[in-house]
Structure formats: structure tokens, C-alpha cells
Amino acid sequence: MEENLQPIREEMRRLEEILRYHAERYYTYDDPEISDFEYDALSRKLRELEAAYPDLAAPDSPTKRVGGAVLPFFETRTHEYPMQSLNDVFSFDELTVFDSRVREAVGAVDYVVERKFDGLSVCATYENGIFVQGVTRGDGLVGEDVTENLKTIRSLPLKLKDPSIPKLVVRGEVYLSNKSFAALNARREEAGEQLFANPRNAAAGSLRQLDSRICASRGLDIFVFNLQNTEDFAFSTHSETLAFLASLGFAVSPGYKICATIGEAIDEINAIGEARGTLDYATDGAVVKVDRFDARAALGSTAKAPRWAAAYKYPPEEKETKLIDIVIQVGRTGVLTPNAVLEPVHLAGTTVSRATLHNADLIAAKDIRIGDTVVVRKAGEIIPEVVCAVAAKRNGSERVFSMPEICPVCGGKVVKPEGEAAARCSSPTCPAQLERGIEHFASRDAMDIDGLGPAIVTQLIAADLVRDAADLYTLTVENVAKLDRMAERSAQNLVAAIEKSKQQPLSRLLFALGIRQVGQKAAATLAKSFRTIDALAAADAATLAEIRDVGAITAETITAWFADPAAAALVAKLKSLGVNTEEPETETGSKLEGKTFVLTGTLPTMKRSEAAALITQNGGNVSGSVSKKTDFVVAGEEAGSKLDKANALGIPVLSEAELLAMLGEV
């Protein structure tokens, strides 16, 4: 029997090698030799053989790329080699100071200059040439085990070209190309799902999918830029390891360059900066690394970052374009937001044609006029904004903007409350407010109705199926399936998600209702204090004002909202349709009693909202800003100014693992 299977085994191994070769040509070198159709035919043939002879299927078969494992949660792993962050520099003067420190300590060195990718950092481990584990960076010491999802990334080899290597640990950056990002958002828009803000968020969200099949469908890629276990090899420089990793089949940092002086490194940084707009992936800087390992050892590291490397961050790219018009968008609370309509301009990797102008006061302060030539940039490389007008280029045809006196959507009167910068539509029946309000009601941090995106909300309102948030709970599969591009299965999923949301606690419902000045934190506090929506509605302003996170102004807003007959009718309707209006009892510990925490950055295993809930459940307080009254700052990956302020004030900084240890949960 074994002899009869030998030809089949050989054919399966042959197909695996062919598929690996062509996958490498396509995904690693961007130089395909066969068509997608031919590749798919070979892959289909191997899958058929594996289905017929499962005992002969290789654990590292290329067919494993499609995913299939569904995990209940991600387990955490401690990094064998800590994944440190880099010290940022924002000018060439700072980079020159870095160079002086290096040369004073170790003499002349070569630098390797690499592109800094805007993705999600991971560590991948191989044993005897086979990929066995992948872990996210997390806080640098502990990360999430995303092995099954990394297996779906075709540019990450599951089997090394040299299987004799006992152990190999590499670090890389998982990213989503601009092309894949555009295709993913196009699919989500067609399905009525919320769009991803940028490729990095999309990559991070995709890699953290519990269902690896979803991750596989997203088209993630990876660049490998570091050999972690250098002590197991005889290399003397970082550049040697990059060449070695490329020979094993990895897609290493493209276009890296060895520079003999800091001047050459600066020239290369400028060259990378000029090329950024032409690349199919996001870069937010360049990394300068000492090449020689003996020099690195002499320079050493701090607890957070190596002293032998620096990350140069490019200043926000600014370009001039024409401001064609200023149009008004009406939000869920009736706020009128002016938006600039721009002549399309390519900026930080995408084409920008719109930018928020926030309010009329800001427009007046910057003296921005319709028809102006303006300078635009992306705040944080993400959100387009108008920096200023170029007054010298005016020709007299420009027009001064004024906020409309009536709502452009419903014709209601526009009012500007005293002391506020925002103008508002006063009509409670404004369709624009309804649309934005429903979107907010269904959002992830509110009632978390999966699949109810802006496109679906617009159709539901246009079809007169939804006149308020409560009407969502009257929808049926039959009437949802009639919407444009909504198949029977999608309609079933949406109605099921709406039904599931009925069980959300009162804290979620309060936030979902969109009461002005009641954010997630205040909603949680109110729900915990009153337990039922009826008890909250009966409270007077004086009682509410005494509650932490509320205050006098918010208290007046809450009482006014519940006093509105329309609001009372909405609450009654939600209750009649089975929506939960109570907050469950939770045990509150005292381990963190009286301690104030601030959360910053991306935590390895929890959302910040989950960490905040854990802190409050144990008697602690969570603040949004760092001050001398802050007891601890919990910092995750890419922590920003809050971490800097904590360090400046000498406030203890905790990782997620240290917070859990404080609570006795690890």
C-alpha cells in the first residue's frame, strides 16, 4: 500500500515546490512568471490531492495560506528577544547629534538606512526551517500569538530555503499595500460596512481577526528587517543578515543602503522622502542603524530603545491647491461643520479632495476664502487639514465665507449657543441628524451593530424603514433584503446583529443615544450610579452634577434631554421592543482604590476601553490627561505625548502585563 502512495506523495511535494517558487516570484520579488489562472489551477490540484489523501498533506503546504482556524481569543507570549522601539528624531540637526554621540563612543561606523514602514511589528520564529510561531510586538516584552494569521501572508515563507537552520527568529512589519487597501475599502463600502481610516489601521485590524480566513482575505504583506537571534550566527554586520534573510526567501527591507557618513545617510533619507508618494505602501520615516554588531554592543540600549539606531520622522507633507468651495455637513447633534472642497492633490500617499474646516471662527481666524490657493497637509499623516491661505496669490475673485442661517438639509433655523464655536440646526427632525445619529447608535463603542454602515443607513432612511433608532428593532429580513446590494444572507446577518444588540448594557445604550456631552466615560458612570434608565430620567440636575465625570453643564444637558417628549417617546419605544435599559451588577474590587490611571498607546491584548473597565471595576479612576495627580500611566505600542509627560513628571509607567500583575491576574 505504501508503494502505491509513493507517486502521489511525490506529486504533492512537486506541486508544493512549484507553488512556493511562483508565490515567491509574485509576492517577494514582484516578478511573476505565470498567470493567476495558472497558479490557481496548480493550487486547486494540490488541494484536491490533500483532500483525498489528508495524511500526506504537508504541515507547511502553500494551501494553508487560505486560513481556516478560528480562535476564541489570542494567547499572549513573552518575547524571547525584547522588541524595543526606536528613538525618534525630527531634524537633521538631531541626527547629526546622534552621529556625534556614536562616533565619540565607538569611532568610525557605517550606517544602514532603511525605510520605516507604517504597519504592525511582529516576530516570527522558525525551527528546522519551518515557521512555528508569530507574535505581535505588544508592549515589547509580551505580545499576542497570531501564528495562524501570519500563515496566511504569502510573502512570509512557511518553509525556509535552507531547512538545516535549527532556529531563526526575525522581526518584520506587517502592512497592507495601497492597492490592497483600496480594494478592501471598496468591498466594505459595497457591503455597507464601515471603512478603514488608513492602511495601518486596516493591517492591524486584519492581523487581529480571530478567524484566520478573514485575515487571509485582506491581502496582507510583510517586510522583514531584523534577525533577532544574531548570537546563533557568525555575522558581523546587520547588512550581512539582510542579505542572508533575502537568500532564505524573505521579503527584506527594500532599497536599504549602506552609508559611510551621516551626510550620506541624510542624502538617502531625502531620497526616500522624495520616493514616498510613488510607493505602494505607507512609510512615515527612515531608520538609521549602526551596521557593525560589535559597535552596537558597545553602544548598548536603554530600557526602551537601542542607542545605536534612530528613526527620522518626516515632517507632514504640505502642498498648495485650490479651495473650490466650502460646503456644510450636518452632524448627529445638529452641528454644522464647514468642509473645504479642494482641487484634488496627491498628499502622503493618497489623493485629497476634501478637508474639514471645523467651524466659522477658525475660517475667519485663518482668513480662508472660497477661491483661495491654500496649503494643505495631513494631520498625523491621516486627516487632511487646511493650514493657511496663500494671500499673495489672490486675484480679487475670492469670496468671504459666512455660515448659513438656515440648515442646508432641512431648512431649520441655525443657532449658535453663547460660548460655543459650533453652529447647530435647531430642528429635531432634520434628516441629516437622523442619519448621523443612527450611524452613531450602531457604532462599535455604542450598540455595536455589525454591518450597519453609512450606506445601509442612508438606504433605510430613504426607504422610510427607519425614522428613529428604535425603528431598527422593527426591521425584518424581508424588507432589508430589498435594499440595493443586500442579499438574503447579508440581510439575515444584519437583522441578527440588531437583535443581538438588544442585550447591550445601559452604559452602551446611553452613549448610543447621543446625548450631548455624554461620552463613553460619563455614560458608564451614569449607568453604574443609577442602574436603570428610568432612575436616571427621574434624577434632577443637582443630583446629577454631584456625580464624578458629569458636572453642572452636562447635568443640565441630561435633564433637558429626558424632559423632551420626543426623547421620552424614543426610550419608551426602545423598551417596548425589548431593548435592555438596565446595567448589570458588577463586583467592584478595591485593589486600585483611590488610584488614578491614564491609558495611552495600543495595548497588546486589550482595547483601552477594556483596560479602563478593568481599572474602574477594581476601584481605580481613569483620566484622559496626565497631571501631577496621576498615579500611573499604562502605556502600549506607539504611546505618544502622554507617555512623554509621564516621564517628565516622574509618574510610574506600567505595561499591560504589569497592570494585570498589580491586579493579581497574571
Side-chain angles (χ1 to χ4, degrees):
M1 185 68 176
E2 179 65 25
E3 290 183 2
N4 293 338
L5 292 176
Q6 187 59 26
I8 297 170
R9 180 183 288 105
E10 291 176 355
E11 174 65 4
M12 291 171 74
R13 300 295 89 83
R14 185 186 73 86
L15 287 168
E16 290 163 11
E17 289 305 313
I18 292 173
L19 286 167
R20 286 194 191 98
Y21 171 80
H22 287 297
E24 183 180 45
R25 299 308 309 170
Y26 185 92
Y27 293 104
T28 303
Y29 298 111
D30 196 23
D31 185 24
E33 295 180 0
I34 62 175
S35 67
D36 289 349
F37 178 82
E38 292 171 302
Y39 183 90
D40 290 341
L42 291 167
S43 183
R44 185 166 56 252
K45 184 176 180 181
L46 178 58
R47 284 199 302 272
E48 290 170 354
L49 288 172
E50 289 176 340
Y53 305 96
D55 292 341
L56 301 183
D60 61 331
S61 168
T63 61
K64 305 297 183 187
R65 301 291 195 181
V66 298
V70 181
L71 305 174
F73 57 88
F74 289 116
E75 295 184 353
T76 57
R77 305 289 181 200
T78 300
H79 291 296
E80 183 178 0
Y81 302 90
M83 296 176 67
Q84 292 186 306
S85 56
L86 295 174
N87 289 319
D88 292 335
V89 297
F90 298 92
S91 71
F92 292 141
D93 287 341
E94 290 181 78
L95 203 55
T96 302
V97 171
F98 161 77
D99 174 61
S100 297
R101 289 200 204 101
V102 168
R103 293 180 185 274
E104 285 175 10
V106 297
V109 295
D110 286 341
Y111 293 111
V112 177
V113 180
E114 304 170 21
R115 297 165 186 170
K116 186 176 183 297
F117 309 109
D118 195 15
L120 193 70
S121 194
V122 297
C123 178
T125 301
Y126 293 76
E127 293 178 357
N128 299 315
I130 303 297
F131 172 64
V132 294
Q133 188 178 81
V135 182
T136 63
R137 179 181 180 275
D139 63 5
L141 299 175
V142 177
E144 293 174 298
D145 189 329
V146 289
T147 303
E148 294 302 319
N149 285 351
L150 283 179
K151 285 180 180 179
T152 70
I153 300 178
R154 295 181 181 271
S155 46
L156 182 75
L158 298 181
K159 182 178 182 180
L160 302 179
K161 289 184 176 180
D162 183 355
S164 68
I165 301 172
K167 184 176 182 179
L168 184 81
V169 185
V170 298
R171 180 172 176 176
E173 195 86 356
V174 173
Y175 71 96
L176 196 66
S177 69
N178 294 334
K179 181 180 179 181
S180 295
F181 174 67
L184 172 60
N185 262 353
R187 294 196 301 270
R188 293 178 71 83
E189 184 173 25
E190 186 172 338
E193 298 172 339
Q194 185 175 353
L195 303 186
F196 285 111
N198 55 66
R200 189 199 182 282
N201 287 1
S206 300
L207 193 62
R208 297 189 74 255
Q209 290 289 329
L210 293 173
D211 187 341
S212 61
R213 290 169 296 186
I214 298 175
C215 182
S217 71
R218 299 286 174 81
L220 295 174
D221 271 302
I222 186 171
F223 283 130
V224 169
F225 56 80
N226 208 57
L227 174 65
Q228 299 289 82
N229 59 326
T230 53
E231 73 277 6
D232 294 336
F233 299 86
F235 299 113
S236 60
T237 65
H238 173 63
S239 53
E240 287 178 306
T241 67
L242 292 178
F244 169 64
L245 293 174
S247 74
L248 294 178
F250 290 103
V252 300
S253 294
Y256 66 89
K257 186 174 181 179
I258 303 171
C259 301
T261 67
I262 199 64
E264 289 182 21
I266 289 172
D267 289 343
E268 180 59 21
I269 291 171
N270 283 326
I272 293 172
E274 291 174 3
R276 289 169 72 203
T278 67
L279 303 175
D280 192 32
Y281 48 83
T283 59
D284 59 356
V287 181
V288 179
K289 303 175 181 177
V290 170
D291 196 19
R292 285 196 344 260
F293 289 143
D294 62 343
R296 290 186 178 188
L299 288 163
S301 301
T302 66
K304 297 288 185 181
R307 293 190 178 93
W308 44 261
Y312 177 84
K313 302 298 285 288
Y314 293 107
E317 181 184 9
E318 295 185 349
K319 287 187 177 179
E320 291 185 2
T321 188
K322 204 79 169 177
L323 195 160
I324 301 170
D325 199 2
I326 296 177
V327 296
I328 298 297
Q329 181 180 37
V330 183
R332 64 180 176 84
T333 60
V335 171
L336 273 64
T337 302
N339 287 279
V341 179
L342 307 167
E343 280 188 0
V345 58
H346 196 74
L347 193 64
T350 61
T351 299
V352 172
S353 58
R354 293 250 179 165
T356 180
L357 291 168
H358 300 289
N359 54 63
D361 291 347
L362 182 143
I363 295 172
K366 292 187 175 183
D367 190 22
I368 295 170
R369 306 177 187 181
I370 298 170
D372 265 338
T373 296
V374 293
V375 175
V376 294
R377 70 181 178 197
K378 283 189 177 180
E381 298 286 320
I382 297 172
I383 304 170
E385 65 176 357
V386 176
V387 179
C388 63
V390 185
K393 293 190 176 182
R394 286 177 179 157
N395 58 21
S397 64
E398 296 79 16
R399 293 179 287 123
V400 174
F401 170 79
S402 59
M403 189 64 77
E405 296 181 357
I406 62 170
C407 174
V409 175
C410 71
K413 183 180 179 181
V414 172
V415 297
K416 185 179 179 184
E418 187 176 349
E420 293 188 19
R424 299 176 184 275
C425 170
S426 61
S427 171
T429 60
C430 179
Q433 292 185 55
L434 173 61
E435 188 168 327
R436 304 288 183 272
I438 298 296
E439 290 172 16
H440 172 74
F441 187 88
S443 64
R444 183 174 298 176
D445 292 326
M447 299 300 277
D448 194 17
I449 302 176
D450 189 37
L452 188 58
I456 301 298
V457 172
T458 300
Q459 289 192 68
L460 289 171
I461 293 172
D464 203 27
L465 293 172
V466 171
R467 297 182 181 181
D468 58 34
D471 282 340
L472 293 172
Y473 298 98
T474 67
L475 295 174
T476 64
V477 173
E478 290 72 26
N479 53 32
V480 172
K482 294 176 183 178
L483 300 178
D484 187 34
R485 297 180 179 177
M486 180 62 75
E488 182 83 11
R489 181 64 179 273
S490 299
Q492 290 173 352
N493 291 341
L494 177 57
V495 171
I498 293 172
E499 182 65 24
K500 181 182 177 182
S501 75
K502 288 181 178 180
Q503 305 308 314
Q504 293 286 9
L506 174 61
S507 54
R508 290 288 198 104
L509 177 60
L510 290 178
F511 178 58
L513 290 171
I515 304 170
R516 282 184 59 202
Q517 299 179 348
V518 177
Q520 286 178 264
K521 189 175 179 182
T525 301
L526 290 165
K528 182 178 176 181
S529 300
F530 291 94
R531 296 296 174 191
T532 71
I533 201 166
D534 290 339
L536 175 60
D540 58 29
T543 302
L544 290 168
E546 294 175 357
I547 297 172
R548 175 190 287 271
D549 300 328
V550 177
I553 296 175
T554 303
E556 293 290 349
T557 301
I558 294 168
T559 53
W561 191 89
F562 278 106
D564 187 330
L570 175 62
V571 170
K573 189 173 177 181
L574 286 166
K575 290 170 69 175
S576 71
L577 291 167
V579 177
N580 175 53
T581 58
E582 299 182 1
E583 186 75 6
E585 290 284 350
T586 57
E587 289 188 21
T588 301
S590 58
K591 293 178 180 178
L592 306 180
E593 189 70 41
K595 301 296 183 183
T596 297
F597 292 75
V598 172
L599 300 163
T600 182
T602 303
L603 301 179
T605 69
M606 291 189 290
K607 295 179 182 178
R608 281 191 290 187
S609 58
E610 294 170 337
L614 191 61
I615 289 168
T616 55
Q617 286 168 14
N618 283 275
N621 303 314
V622 179
S623 175
S625 59
V626 177
S627 69
K628 292 181 179 179
K629 295 181 180 180
T630 304
D631 294 292
F632 299 98
V633 169
V634 181
E637 187 177 0
E638 296 191 355
S641 59
K642 292 178 183 178
L643 176 59
D644 296 336
K645 189 170 183 180
N647 289 329
L649 294 174
I651 295 168
V653 177
L654 306 176
S655 66
E656 178 191 295
E658 289 169 326
L659 171 65
L660 294 175
M662 186 181 287
L663 295 169
E665 299 201 8
V666 293

